[in-house]
Amino acid sequence: MTADLTASDLEEAGAVLAAEAARFASFGWMRGTSGNLSVVLTRDPLRLAVTASGHDKGELTPADVVLVDGNGAAVHEGKPSAEAELHARVAALTGAGAVVHVHTVASVALGHRHPGGIVFKDIEMLKGVGQPAHDVEVTLPVIANSQDMKVLGDRLEAAREPRMPAVVVAGHGLYVWGDTPRQARHHTEVVEWLLELELTRR
């Protein structure tokens, strides 16, 4: 590990992420090996536990995480998700303590339909992301996909709406964040609910 982190710290984070992944997989949001999760372990230097690449997200164990640095590179052994760099970028940019990436049908479908962003207004569930239910219009940003995480991170930074802890990557899925894994989970469930509502309206 590092001077400030131990193997038990990483295992504890892995147990939390495994439980969160199992929950999302049960909803059909992390089918097969799709999606990835992370939690920040230290800020200075930035270190995150990120789910390992190529694992069924419904069957993760506490050992199925990799410690990565602020560039998303593995600090020791292990192969993190290919999107670990973007998780690190989101954590650094937003101050989030946890990041969730899921592949939901609603996020992909609406990302195609609304490339300029998805607008929500006068919906009670907006309270779940800290916004008033009425008289406020909030846009969930949509950005074009890229296999280059630096490019994708730049697009996310340029499009980010501080009132909405999430962004849709067109043709790919949904990134959501929060102060803790639990808050990131709640934000993910709320934003996905909003997306599903918008999808049924159309």
Side-chain angles (χ1 to χ4, degrees):
M1 295 295 101
T2 70
D4 298 320
L5 293 172
T6 66
S8 62
D9 291 328
L10 189 59
E11 184 175 3
E12 183 179 339
V16 170
L17 294 183
E20 295 297 326
R23 181 185 180 94
F24 292 132
S26 75
F27 298 155
W29 299 353
M30 300 182 96
R31 295 179 186 271
T33 64
S34 69
N36 35 74
L37 307 174
S38 67
V39 60
V40 173
L41 299 181
T42 65
R43 275 290 158 196
D44 187 15
L46 183 60
R47 296 286 185 268
L48 302 88
V50 180
T51 48
S53 177
H55 291 257
D56 187 318
K57 298 308 185 298
E59 300 177 349
L60 294 182
T61 73
D64 294 327
V65 292
V66 180
L67 182 67
V68 304
D69 62 18
N71 295 314
V75 173
H76 294 294
E77 68 280 349
K79 182 181 179 183
S81 162
E83 292 154 348
E85 181 180 347
L86 188 57
H87 281 250
R89 180 79 174 267
V90 170
L93 176 66
T94 68
V99 181
V100 170
H101 173 46
V102 289
H103 293 215
T104 68
V105 172
S107 63
V108 174
L110 289 170
H112 281 304
R113 294 182 190 179
H114 302 279
I118 304 157
V119 178
F120 301 110
K121 184 179 181 180
D122 295 334
I123 303 172
E124 193 74 17
M125 281 288 274
L126 283 170
K127 291 179 179 178
V129 289
Q131 298 304 312
H134 301 288
D135 300 322
V136 170
E137 186 174 281
V138 183
T139 299
L140 173 60
V142 176
I143 60 175
N145 196 15
S146 174
Q147 299 307 303
D148 185 325
M149 292 302 108
K150 173 67 166 60
V151 170
L152 202 56
D154 288 347
R155 291 173 180 169
L156 186 151
E157 183 170 357
R160 185 169 75 97
E161 160 58 90
R163 297 178 299 166
M164 176 62 75
V167 66
V168 169
V169 181
H172 189 175
L174 181 65
Y175 277 88
V176 192
W177 49 90
D179 292 339
T180 65
R182 189 168 185 262
Q183 187 184 60
R185 178 218 304 166
H186 290 169
H187 286 169
T188 302
E189 293 180 2
V190 168
V191 172
E192 175 60 16
W193 187 94
L194 292 167
L195 288 168
E196 290 177 14
L197 175 65
E198 183 66 18
L199 192 62
T200 62
R201 286 177 165 179
R202 305 295 174 174

